[in-house]
Every structure is written in C-alpha cells, then in structure tokens.
C-alpha cells in the first residue's frame, strides 16, 4: 500500500496505460509535467473534472465506481471509502492509495495531492485535512443558504417577481466574473459547487461554498434592494393580554416622521417627535374625538429615553420630556403620549395619517381601556408584537434575532472589491473556512477558499426557486449526515453492474383487525348445545308465545340468526338470552367482539436438494386452507422461508380471511390472502332454509364446473412437447361454502411436489456443474467447460488456437 | 555440396492412457529416438518416417522438443521392414498448457471452481415421476365449531 503521492499517481496511470505508452513512460521516469498528470486523470472513467463556465477546473469528482464500496454509508465516508474523504482509500488491482481532493506543490516543486480540503491551524503553513464530498447546488438553493448566512429569509414573494429569480439575475451582475465562479457550460444550466465537510466522528456535516460566490450573491442582493429600507409594519404575535384584546388594523408609524400635506400651504410639518436619547420601539396614533378633536400619539419603549416635540404652530412651543415608567407583568414599559389638536392644524387631513384605524387610543383594545393608563394595550404592543422591517426587495425579510450585514461600507462594483470589503467589515463571515487547491489543465494550481454556509437539509439541492425553510437557519451550518448529497453519478462511466445482495429486505405492515363490541341493536350469544336446546324449548313454550304475540307477528322475528362458526368467539361473562324484551331464563356466554384471529402456526420450508431442483419448475407447493380450498403458492416465494397462516374471522357473518405470511432473510409480510366463509347457517324458518340449500347447491355446481374447465386431459397432450409441460397446473379444489368447508379438515397443510432426480454418477466430473464464473484456468481443477475465452498464447498457430478454443468450449480436464 | 546441414532432433515416444482432453498427460517410460529430419513436414500434422530396429508399435503419443510440441500418434504405417511412417497431430492442450492456464475465461460448467448448484443447466436430469410431501400446521380452526345466536334487542 502507498500513500497517494506522485508515486501513487504513477500507479494510477499504470492501471490505464500499458507499459508501452509514451505517457506512462514519461510519468514513470519522472519526466511528466503536472499538466500531463492532469491529462492522465482525465482518462480515468470514474474521475470527472468539474469546470466553471469559462472552462477552469474547479474540482475533481470521483464517482461511485471509483471505489469498491456501493453505496457508502456515512461511516464509510469517514472510514475512508468515498471520494475526497480524509482517509479515503481505494484499491484497484494491487494499488492502494488515497483519493485526492487538494493539490499543492512542495518546496521542491513536486506535486503533492492530498485528500479532502485544507483547514488552517494556528500555525502558519500547517493545515489539517477535512474529509469532503462535493455536490452541485442550484443557484436558488445557494441563494437561500447565503441569504440565511446574511440574516435574510427568502419567501415565495421573490418568485412573483420572476419564477427563476436567481437564474435570471445572477449572470447579469458581473458576467465576466460569473463564468469564472459558477460551474456548468455556456449552453447548460449553471450550478454552484458545494463542498460538504465531514466531522471525524461522522456526527455532522458542514456545507461550504466558494467565498467569491458569497461576495457575488451579496452584490446581487445589495443591488436588488435587500437592505434598502421599505415600509415597516407592526406584526402582532399575541393580541390578548389579561382581559383585553388588541383590535386589528393598527398601523405602525415611524418614530420620527415628517408629514407634508399639500392642503396646508404654510409649513409642511404636522407634528414631530424625536428621541433625543434612547429610541422608540413602537409608535401608534389614534383619533381623538369630542370637544378637542385631534390625533393622540403613543410612544413606547422597553428602555428609558428622552424626547423632543415640535408643534409647528405659533401658539405652541417646542418641548422636551421624559417618559412615564411602569411595569406590566414584570416587564418595563416607558411611554408618553401627546396630542395634535385639529384646531392647530385645521386644514390637515388628519385621518389620512391614522387611517384605516380611526379609534382613539383607549379603543385600541376591547373592552375599551379606561383611565389614563392603558397598561394592557402598552404591554401587547410592546411585548406581544414586533416591528418588522420590510426590504425593498419583495420576499426578502430579516430573520428573527439574526445578525444583519447591511452594506454600510460595501460599495464595490466588482466581486473582488465586494469580497475585500466584506472581509474588512464582516470578518466573521469568513471564519472557519477551508481551502482546496485544484490542479488545472496547464499544470497550475488554483486555491479555492470555501466558507461555511447554512444548508437546507429538507430541500432538493437542485430546486430552482426554494424558500427559506426555517427562520433560525442562520447559525445552523451542521447538516444531518443522512441528507448529505451523494457523489453525483449522472453521466460519466461507472463500474459494470455487480450482483446485488442475495437477501431481501423490508417487512410488510401486519394487519390489525377492527375492534369494537357487538352492537347494542342486537345481542350475540355463544350458547352450548344444551343451552341452545333449552332456549329452543322456551321459544316454543306457550308462555313465550302468549307474551310474544303482543310484540311480534312471527316468533322468528325475535331471532336474527343461528349459525356455527369455526373459530372461538371472544366472550365475556354470561347472561340470560333475551329476545326483544323477553328474558328466556337460559344463560349463555355473551360474545363481546366481532373479530377474532386464529394463528395456525408456522412451518419452515427448507430445501431438500440444495440445487435447482428445489425451485420452479421442478418443485411445486400448494397449501390447503380450511374453508377455502387448495391454493398454489409460488415456490420461489416460500422456499427457504418460514410460512405462517393466520385466519381473521368475523364471528357474526362467518367471513374469514386466510393470511399467509412469508418471512425470509429477516423480512417479509403477507404475500398471499384468500377469503372464504367458515360459518354453517342453520335454518330457523322455511325461507332461511331455502336460501341455505340454494347457496350450497350453487357452490356444488361451481366445484363441478371448475373441474370440467380444468380438464386434466389437456396436460396429457402436452407431454409430447417436453417433460416439463407434463406437470401443468391442475385444479386441486374448487370453492367452498361454509357448509362444505365444515366437512373438510380444519388445519392447513402444505402440499409439496418434488421431482425424482436421476443425476448421473460422478456427473460433476463428466459434465460439470453450471458456473458462470470468471477466472483463469490455473485456478481450476477437474472438468472445466468454458463459454468465453481470451487466449493469448505465444507460439501457437491460429489453427492451434482455434482447436484450443474448441476444446475449452467442449470441456477439458485440468 | 550446397545447402545447410541436416536438421538433427530427438523424438520421444510414449504410451499414454490419459484422456485426450486432459490438459496434462501422464508421461512415462518414453522411448527416445534421435535422427535427422530429411524431408519437409508439417509442424501441426507431421508425418515422419522412421527407419530403425526399434518397434514403435504400441506407442500412441510423442514429444518433439525441436518443434516444441506434443503429438497424438494418429496412425503408424509400415512401409517395409524396419521402415515406419508415423502420422501425428499436435496435442494443443499439452503443448501450450502454460499459456492456457494463464488465460482468463468465463466458465460455463465446472467440476470444482465457481460452480453454482442453483444455476440451471442440462446436467440436472430428472424423472417424469414426482413425490409429494405434506407438512401440517400445528393449529387450525375449531374442529367442532361454536354456535352463534343473534337475537333482536339486547
């Protein structure tokens, strides 16, 4: 085994070139340049160079065929069986090495490939290695991830502007830069290369993107108005506090605003109130009516402040003040109110300021607050509401509690300028970055710096127009390892298909019978034979008849049905059998449930021959099911399996369902189910007797008819065409009614028909056993017959080679 | 005198009982004759005339190192007393066994290597007769049944 250094690349080339190739010779003798090494990788089918739109190489992806593990669970990634993993290794023939993800050069100029990506340490020039997997992310998924990193949530309103907003706008910001940082080709869809770094214990995965991509997206969001201040609104989380409920429709007003009104010709200031220290958290206004109509202003803050007001009226003087302090529910509230009277500003359309909320402040809540303190109103507005800041870009809002990164000094017009300004102003955005050196076609190495981003684990990475799934995504850069994108396998060459595991998986959901006791509309009893006789005697006694005459025309109206069911019903206690309102005095068990399950047990069907004879078409299996008949099973389903039969029985109707559960290799379920009737109905009136006989006759006809249609003589005619056709399926039973089924066995059994074999003595030596196996003949002994040969025998004439092939096809002894 | 010197070579005769399709023949008690090849002959199907006192009747196999091959003796024709004409055919298996053993192949059927008794093939012969086995389940429905009486009211 060897680490994948330059020597490792030599061996990799060896796998794909014979010793006479010029490229191999150059690589082996150390004459190969780094560009030639790049070229050598391009000939490896499972290695794919991922390129930017402009053609530069942004990474090497190794597909699943490059390693011998398929598919690789997260533990194998960490353990070293996947591309770019920290200790990723693979074997190809006699070669063993690490899969390169990062390239650098030594002091001597030698190419040094390493696995994964470089993680800086506190010591300059010293790095740790991080296992990584690469994937192609859509521009939209990258957008919401970067948005989350910048404290912005993206919702569907963005896509009302354009359904593919990211794809439309990104290429236009800086086209020359875009083709250098986005993957893809000029004709196809662009993507962003995402790296997923895996922690050494496999517990979490962090998503990374190129830092230039962050800068590019930042520029787009900035120029589109994501940080431009739009309208603010008061969003009420909980309008109820105590006995008061906040009215809807209250409009938030900027703490310090200047209103200009065209119908007031002199001074465009209506009322101005600014915080000279501290700030206002909430400002609302209400309409004051009555003798002194005007606008009531309410200023609220969670912290102390001082304010200054200006009334632009010759009769009023500017003033300063401090708010009133109260506590509600233990929370501090600072507030003050002022009023702008209509008399001061008779020509102002005051309602236009507070419209659509015309209420005075005390009527902001219901029931109406009284007194000069509206404590509940203040508490709801301050602590159960929030002021949201809408950006000028639809669909982009601030995440709750997220750190914001406004473009205060981010004024660059190129991506590099924006990147440098971001690094200066917001260095935390670039913390915990990793680096991948990528070998280029000309032999140079370009370092790509990746930074962590939050990643939406429940979104397809190819989604074009995604929305931010979580409002708290900003700090969540840990990705559930189970959702880590796999190495893409679309396109490119993979290993030839291999045999999948020989065992199946999965378990079917077991059935659950409905529950519930017998309806109160009828009574269900489970009498013994003696109890039934006693009940019959009472039924036909003169006392009963006299009483029943008052209730029914026909005594049998009191009896709904009598039948025998061949499954023990669930019973609970005993009580006297009642007919209508009449008590028979005959005690019988009461049926408490309608459905019951009968487990017939489990049998194991094992191979007898240990070869093809155990399976179709040689071995056949059928099963006799009480009250249903003989049904065929597929031997390929049940051989080597445990077979369980359960009957679900409806004791009231007699309907039954036989469920055959087949379990093999630790998994399985109900593979067969057949319905029938396991009730024998007894005649309690001439009409019911006629119906019972009719049903029995119909079933009997069905049995005969079935036998005729399944004419076994047709099987005889098939014998001449081959021995296998002589064993055609023969109907082994017809349909059963409950009455006919009662005449048959009550326990199921398997019927297995096996062949009588006649293998020749020592057949392995004369004929061999089927193999379908690739090897060299040196590994074989005894009789061998080949079906494909690759003969490379020096010195043999073509006629001799043909004869050798012919002998191998007919079989030789080794 | 013109031309090259006569081609001198050995021929070792054997009497083998190995099967023709055996890769390795068991060779023992060989009779080696040395002589000069005087006439043209095929390498694959040589016809060699041997003059001598040794009887080569009873040998069915030979090795000619000069040709680098082993041969089956197809026929032995007596030309006259002491003159035999031997008709041979190359045994390609024995002659090239090293190359054959190193060749990769896909095995169709085998006595030992890679065999799979669950692969179908002509080797699995059977009679037209079958046999039947019954496996009973341990439980079943009630043998005698249970009466269910349903009356109006409750």
């Amino acid at each position: 085994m060897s680490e994948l250094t330059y020597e490792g690349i030599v061996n990799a080339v060896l796998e794909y070139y014979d010793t006479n190739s010029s490229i191999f010779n150059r690589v082996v003798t150390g004459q190969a340049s780094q560009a030639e090494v790049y070229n050598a990788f391009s000939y490896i089918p499972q290695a794919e160079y991922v390129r930017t739109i402009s053609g530069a190489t942004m990474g090497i992806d190794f597909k699943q065929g490059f390693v011998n593990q398929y598919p690789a669970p997260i533990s194998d990634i960490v353990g070293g069986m996947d591309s770019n993993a920290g200790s990723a290794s693979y074997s190809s023939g006699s070669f063993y090495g690490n899969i390169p993800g990062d390239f650098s050069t030594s002091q001597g100029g030698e190419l040094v490939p390493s696995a994964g990506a470089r993680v800086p340490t506190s010591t300059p020039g010293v790095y740790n290695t991080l296992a990584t997997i690469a994937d192609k992310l859509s521009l939209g998924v990258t957008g919401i991830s970067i948005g989350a990193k910048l404290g912005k949530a993206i919702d569907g309103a963005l896509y009302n502007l354009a359904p593919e907003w990211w794809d439309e706008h990104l290429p236009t910001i800086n086209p020359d830069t875009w083709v250098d940082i986005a993957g893809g080709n000029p004709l196809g869809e662009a993507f962003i290369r995402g790296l997923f770094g895996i922690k050494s214990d496999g517990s979490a995965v962090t998503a990374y993107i190129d830092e230039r991509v962050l800068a590019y997206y930042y520029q787009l969001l900035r120029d589109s108005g994501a940080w431009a201040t739009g309208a603010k609104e008061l969003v009420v989380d909980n309008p109820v506090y105590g006995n008061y409920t906040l009215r809807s429709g209250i409009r938030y007003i900027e703490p310090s605003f200047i209103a200009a009104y065209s119908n007031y010709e002199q001074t465009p200031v209506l009322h101005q109130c600014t915080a000279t220290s501290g700030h206002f958290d909430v400002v609302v206004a209400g309409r004051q009516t009555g003798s002194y109509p005007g606008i009531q202003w309410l200023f609220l803050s969670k912290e102390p402040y001082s304010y200054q007001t200006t009334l632009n009226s010759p009769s009023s003087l500017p003033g300063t003040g401090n708010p009133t302090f109260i506590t509600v529910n233990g929370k501090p509230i600072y507030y003050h109110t002022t009023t702008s009277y209509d008399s001061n500003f008779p020509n102002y359309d005051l309602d236009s300021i507070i419209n659509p909320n015309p209420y005075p402040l005390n009527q902001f809540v219901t029931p109406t607050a009284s007194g000069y303190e509206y404590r509940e109103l203040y508490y709801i507005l301050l602590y159960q509401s929030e002021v949201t800041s809408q950006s000028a870009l639809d669909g982009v809002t601030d995440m709750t509690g997220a750190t914001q990164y406004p473009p205060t000094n981010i004024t660059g017009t190129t991506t590099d300028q924006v990147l440098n300004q971001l690094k200066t102003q917001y260095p935390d955005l670039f913390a915990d970055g990793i680096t991948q050196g990528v070998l280029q076609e000309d032999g140079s190495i370009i370092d790509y710096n990746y930074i962590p981003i939050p990643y939406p684990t429940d979104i397809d990475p190819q989604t074009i127009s995604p929305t931010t799934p979580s409002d708290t995504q900003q700090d969540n850069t840990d990705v559930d390892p189970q959702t880590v994108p796999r190495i893409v396998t679309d396109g490119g060459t993979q290993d030839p298909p291999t045999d999948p595991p020989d065992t199946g998986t999965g378990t079917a959901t077991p059935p659950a019978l409905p529950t519930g006791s017998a309806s109160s509309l009828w009574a269900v009893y489970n009498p013994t034979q003696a109890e039934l006789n006693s009940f019959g005697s009472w039924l036909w006694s003169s006392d009963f008849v006299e009483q029943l005459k008052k209730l029914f025309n026909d005594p049998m109206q009191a009896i709904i049905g009598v039948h025998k069911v061949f499954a023990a019903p669930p019973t609970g206690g005993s009580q006297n059998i009642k007919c209508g309102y009449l008590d028979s005095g005959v005690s019988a068990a009461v049926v408490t449930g309608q459905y019951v399950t009968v487990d017939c047990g489990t049998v194991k069907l094992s191979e007898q021959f240990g070869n093809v004879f155990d399976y179709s078409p040689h071995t056949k299996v059928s099963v006799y099911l009480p009250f249903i008949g003989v049904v065929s099973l597929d031997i390929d389903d049940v051989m080597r399996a445990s077979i369980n039969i359960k009957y679900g029985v409806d004791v009231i109707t007699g309907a039954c369902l036989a469920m055959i559960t087949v379990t093999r290799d630790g998994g399985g379920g109900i593979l067969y189910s057949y319905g029938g009737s396991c009730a024998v109905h007894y005649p309690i009136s001439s009409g019911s007797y006629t119906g019972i006989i009719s049903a029995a006759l119909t079933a009997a006809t069905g049995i005969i008819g079935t036998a005729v249609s399944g004419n076994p003589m047709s099987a005889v005619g098939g014998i001449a065409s081959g021995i296998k056709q002589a064993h055609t399926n023969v109907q082994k039973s017809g349909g059963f009614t409950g009455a006919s089924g009662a005449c048959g066995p009550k326990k199921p059994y398997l019927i297995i028909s096996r062949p009588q074999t006649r293998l020749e003595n020592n057949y392995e030596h004369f004929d061999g056993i089927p193999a379908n196996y690739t090897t060299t003949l040196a590994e074989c002994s005894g009789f061998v017959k080949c079906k494909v040969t690759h003969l490379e025998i020096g010195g043999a004439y073509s006629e001799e080679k043909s004869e050798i092939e012919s002998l191998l096809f007919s079989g030789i002894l080794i | 005198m013109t031309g090259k010197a006569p081609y001198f070579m050995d021929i070792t005769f054997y009497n083998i009982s190995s099967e023709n399709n055996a890769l390795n023949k068991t060779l023992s008690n060989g009779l080696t004759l040395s002589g000069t090849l005087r006439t043209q002959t095929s390498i694959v199907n040589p016809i060699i005339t041997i003059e001598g006192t040794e009887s080569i009747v009873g040998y069915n196999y030979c090795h000619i190192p000069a040709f680098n091959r082993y041969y089956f003796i197809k026929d032995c024709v007596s030309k006259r007393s002491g003159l035999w004409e031997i008709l041979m055919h190359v045994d390609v298996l024995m002659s090239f066994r090293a190359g054959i053993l190193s060749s990769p192949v896909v095995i169709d059927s085998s006595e030992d290597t890679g065999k799979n008794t669950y692969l179908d093939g002509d080797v699995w012969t059977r009679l037209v007769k079958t046999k039947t086995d019954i496996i009973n389940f341990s439980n079943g429905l009630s043998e005698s049944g249970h009466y269910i009486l349903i009356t109006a009211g409750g």
Side-chain angles (χ1 to χ4, degrees):
Chain A
M1 298 187 194
S2 62
E3 291 294 315
L4 183 55
T5 60
Y6 189 78
E7 289 74 25
I9 295 176
V10 167
N11 285 326
V13 174
L14 178 63
E15 295 293 317
Y16 294 93
Y17 295 94
D18 61 34
T19 56
N20 295 322
S21 75
S22 61
I23 295 179
F24 168 71
N25 285 333
R26 290 180 60 75
V27 172
V28 167
T29 56
Q31 300 175 33
S33 66
Q34 287 172 195
E36 288 184 290
V37 173
Y38 179 98
N39 197 42
F41 268 115
S42 67
Y43 282 88
I44 298 175
Q46 294 88 3
E48 179 193 14
Y49 284 114
V50 182
R51 293 186 169 83
T52 64
I53 298 175
S54 63
T57 302
M58 58 193 327
I60 306 175
D61 282 344
F62 293 90
K63 300 198 192 267
Q64 287 178 333
F66 192 72
V67 297
N68 297 328
Q69 189 87 352
Y70 174 86
I74 190 70
S75 58
D76 284 336
I77 296 172
V78 176
M81 293 301 289
D82 212 331
S83 170
N84 292 322
S87 57
S89 62
Y90 76 101
S91 65
S92 179
S94 60
F95 173 59
Y96 220 69
N98 288 329
I99 302 171
D102 174 55
F103 289 84
S104 58
T105 51
S106 67
Q107 286 187 341
E110 189 174 283
L111 183 67
V112 181
S114 305
R118 277 173 272 158
V119 181
T121 65
S122 58
T123 306
V126 177
Y127 299 90
N128 288 330
T129 299
L130 176 69
T132 59
I133 294 177
D135 199 6
K136 297 173 183 173
L137 309 179
S138 73
L139 306 185
V141 169
T142 308
I144 64 171
S145 295
I146 291 177
K149 188 171 179 70
L150 299 173
K152 297 293 187 184
I154 311 295
D155 63 46
L158 180 70
Y159 306 113
N160 293 336
L161 303 173
E164 299 182 5
W165 192 86
W166 303 97
D167 291 65
E168 281 189 27
H169 288 80
L170 280 165
T172 64
I173 296 297
N174 226 317
D176 291 337
T177 303
W178 178 245
V179 296
D180 284 337
I181 63 174
N185 60 71
L187 300 178
E189 286 186 3
F191 63 87
I192 299 298
R193 182 174 175 81
L195 281 188
F196 294 83
I198 306 158
K199 290 186 178 177
S200 59
D201 61 357
S203 63
V205 174
T206 300
Y208 298 86
I209 54 151
D210 186 343
E211 62 181 11
R212 294 177 304 158
V213 171
L214 172 74
Y216 195 93
Y217 271 74
Y218 188 99
Q219 191 176 354
L220 168 63
L221 291 171
R222 180 198 67 187
D223 295 348
S224 301
W227 284 277
T229 303
K232 292 186 180 180
E233 65 175 333
L234 187 70
V235 178
V236 182
D237 298 323
N238 181 5
V240 179
Y241 180 76
N243 295 325
Y244 291 86
T245 302
L246 186 70
R247 284 181 181 272
S248 62
I250 295 177
R251 208 175 79 183
Y252 170 82
I253 301 171
E254 291 290 335
S256 72
F257 84 102
I258 299 174
Y261 291 86
S262 60
N263 58 349
Y264 191 70
E265 300 174 359
Q266 296 185 22
T267 308
V269 175
L270 172 62
H271 179 94
Q272 186 174 5
C273 181
T274 56
T276 54
S277 68
H279 63 275
F280 306 129
D281 288 313
V282 176
V283 178
V284 294
R287 187 75 168 104
Q288 178 169 286
T289 59
S291 303
Y292 302 98
I295 303 175
Q296 290 179 303
W297 302 90
L298 172 64
F299 298 84
L300 292 166
S301 176
K302 298 176 185 177
E303 297 172 355
Y305 63 91
S306 58
Y307 62 88
Q308 179 180 27
T309 62
T310 303
L311 294 176
N312 193 25
S313 163
S315 64
S316 299
L317 297 174
T320 59
N322 292 306
T324 303
F325 171 71
I326 60 173
T327 58
V328 179
N329 197 23
K331 301 272 179 74
I333 298 176
Y334 296 86
Y335 76 93
H336 79 275
T337 60
T338 64
T339 304
S340 307
Y341 295 103
D342 289 1
S343 59
N344 295 121
F345 313 100
N347 294 321
Y348 278 101
D349 182 6
L350 300 178
D351 286 337
S352 69
I353 301 172
I354 60 175
N355 194 53
N357 188 359
Y359 299 109
L361 291 179
N362 69 323
Q363 293 187 18
F364 275 18
V365 290
T366 59
T368 303
S370 62
Y372 292 96
E373 286 190 67
Y374 311 128
R375 306 171 67 90
E376 290 78 7
L377 169 65
Y378 301 161
Y379 185 84
I380 294 172
L381 289 173
L382 203 53
Y383 288 101
Q384 294 181 182
S385 307
E386 63 177 331
V387 176
T388 63
S389 175
Q390 298 291 332
S391 74
L393 179 60
D394 286 349
V396 178
T397 56
D398 291 348
M399 281 185 154
T400 305
T403 303
Q404 298 297 318
Y405 299 90
T408 308
N409 295 314
I410 316 298
T411 57
T413 56
T414 68
T415 302
D416 287 340
Q417 290 173 345
V418 171
L419 178 62
N420 289 331
Q421 290 167 349
L422 285 172
K423 284 185 174 181
T424 302
Q425 183 152 349
Y426 303 118
D428 59 298
L429 285 176
F430 303 90
D432 301 322
I434 61 177
T435 302
Q436 262 199 341
V438 180
L439 183 63
Q440 300 298 308
E441 202 161 352
D442 61 358
S444 64
I445 297 172
I446 295 179
D447 277 352
Y448 286 82
N449 297 315
Y450 288 82
I451 55 172
I453 54 167
Y455 184 76
T457 57
D458 294 329
I459 293 180
D460 184 340
Q462 306 306 314
T463 306
I464 293 177
S465 305
T467 55
T468 306
S470 166
D471 199 41
T472 58
Q473 189 179 319
Q474 185 188 24
D475 297 325
N476 178 28
T477 55
D478 281 351
V479 179
D480 180 355
Q482 299 306 318
T483 63
V484 171
R486 311 306 308 171
I487 297 174
V488 292
T489 57
D490 55 328
T493 308
Q494 300 182 14
D495 275 345
T498 57
D499 294 328
D502 289 337
T503 57
T505 60
T507 304
T509 304
L513 290 178
T515 57
S517 59
S519 168
S520 59
L521 292 178
W522 60 78
V524 185
Y525 303 92
N526 171 221
T528 64
Q529 180 77 66
E531 288 164 350
L532 199 61
N533 290 337
S534 298
F535 176 71
S537 299
W538 172 82
L539 198 62
W540 291 106
S541 70
S542 57
D543 287 343
F544 170 80
V545 172
E546 288 302 320
Q547 295 175 64
L548 209 56
K549 280 179 183 176
K550 302 172 185 177
L551 298 171
F552 302 103
N553 292 329
D554 178 357
M556 286 302 116
Q557 287 179 335
I559 309 299
I560 294 177
V562 177
H563 62 270
K564 181 176 276 190
V565 69
F566 290 81
T571 56
S574 299
Q575 70 181 42
N576 289 348
I577 300 174
K578 291 180 184 170
C579 276
Y581 301 101
L582 304 178
D583 189 333
S584 70
V586 179
S587 178
V590 177
V591 174
T592 55
Q594 185 172 353
Y595 300 97
V596 66
T597 301
V598 179
D599 189 341
C600 300
T602 301
V603 299
K604 180 90 163 63
L605 186 57
S606 302
E607 295 178 352
Q608 186 178 88
F609 302 98
N611 54 39
V612 298
F613 288 127
D614 286 310
Y615 298 89
S616 66
H618 306 287
T619 294
K620 294 181 173 56
V621 63
S622 48
V623 60
Y624 167 78
L625 298 171
F627 294 93
I628 293 171
V630 177
V631 293
S632 293
L633 304 178
D634 189 339
I635 189 63
D636 296 329
D637 283 339
V638 299
M639 184 56 70
R640 305 185 337 271
S642 295
I643 305 168
N644 170 265
I645 296 179
K646 283 191 174 74
Y647 269 75
V649 178
D650 177 350
V651 298
I652 292 184
T653 65
C656 63
L657 182 72
M659 295 167 283
I660 304 176
T661 301
V662 179
T663 306
R664 185 169 61 191
D665 304 327
I670 299 174
L671 299 189
Y672 303 87
S673 57
Y674 301 93
S677 172
C678 67
V680 175
H681 294 272
Y682 293 100
I684 56 175
S685 69
S686 61
S688 69
Y689 178 70
T690 302
I692 290 170
I693 296 303
S694 173
L697 286 174
T698 302
T701 304
I703 291 171
I704 296 171
T706 301
V708 169
S709 65
N711 189 354
M713 291 307 293
S714 65
V716 175
I719 290 177
S721 62
I723 187 169
K724 293 178 183 178
Q725 295 185 29
H727 298 278
T728 52
N729 284 329
V730 176
Q731 198 88 11
K732 292 184 178 175
S733 81
F736 287 8
T737 62
S740 54
C743 301
K746 305 299 185 299
K747 285 185 184 177
Y749 53 88
L750 292 179
I751 306 166
I752 306 152
S753 174
R754 292 189 169 102
Q756 296 184 17
T757 61
R758 193 58 78 236
L759 296 173
E760 63 206 53
N761 293 333
N762 206 15
Y763 63 91
E764 293 170 52
H765 179 73
F766 291 112
D767 254 344
I769 292 176
N772 196 42
Y773 184 73
T774 303
T775 184
T776 59
L777 288 171
E779 302 296 326
C780 304
S781 62
F783 178 82
V784 176
K785 187 196 298 184
C786 305
K787 59 182 177 182
V788 180
T789 63
H790 287 282
L791 298 176
E792 295 178 357
I793 300 173
Y797 298 124
S798 63
E799 180 187 331
E800 292 172 315
K801 286 184 184 177
S802 298
E803 186 176 345
I804 294 172
E805 252 186 12
S806 175
L807 286 169
L808 291 178
F809 291 154
S810 61
I812 65 173
L813 296 170
I814 297 179
Chain B
M1 187 168 161
T2 58
K4 297 183 179 178
Y7 194 66
F8 189 84
M9 65 184 189
D10 289 335
I11 301 177
T12 304
F13 292 92
Y14 301 96
N15 183 16
I16 66 169
S17 57
S18 302
E19 288 133 322
N20 285 354
N21 64 342
L23 189 68
N24 280 308
K25 308 304 192 289
T26 303
L27 307 176
S28 62
N29 300 323
L31 171 67
T32 303
L33 299 179
S34 300
T36 304
L37 187 67
R38 295 201 175 106
T39 60
Q40 64 187 27
T41 188
S42 162
I43 299 294
V44 177
N45 296 294
I47 301 175
I48 296 178
T49 304
I50 295 176
E51 185 175 16
T53 58
E54 296 278 354
S55 172
I56 59 172
V57 174
Y59 292 101
N60 58 8
Y61 198 79
C62 72
H63 176 217
I64 304 179
F67 290 173
N68 219 17
R69 282 166 172 73
Y70 292 82
Y71 296 91
F72 295 108
I73 295 178
K74 294 194 306 184
D75 201 358
C76 193
V77 179
S78 173
K79 292 291 192 181
R80 56 174 172 81
S81 175
L83 188 68
W84 296 92
E85 184 177 81
I86 314 298
L87 286 75
M88 307 174 195
H89 176 68
V90 63
D91 178 2
V92 291
L93 294 180
M94 186 71 170
S95 301
F96 303 105
R97 62 185 181 277
I100 293 171
L101 286 173
S102 66
S103 297
V105 297
V106 178
I107 300 176
D108 180 70
S109 61
S110 163
E111 181 172 344
D112 182 45
T113 307
K115 62 184 181 183
N116 192 322
T117 56
Y118 296 99
L119 281 173
D120 210 352
D122 294 335
V123 68
W124 310 113
T125 52
R126 53 167 292 181
L127 304 179
V128 296
K129 297 191 289 184
T130 62
K131 54 183 178 179
T132 302
D133 295 308
I134 302 292
I135 302 179
N136 287 300
F137 283 79
S138 56
N139 299 322
L141 298 177
S142 168
E143 289 291 341
S144 56
H146 297 261
Y147 284 108
I148 299 293
L149 170 65
I150 306 175
T151 62

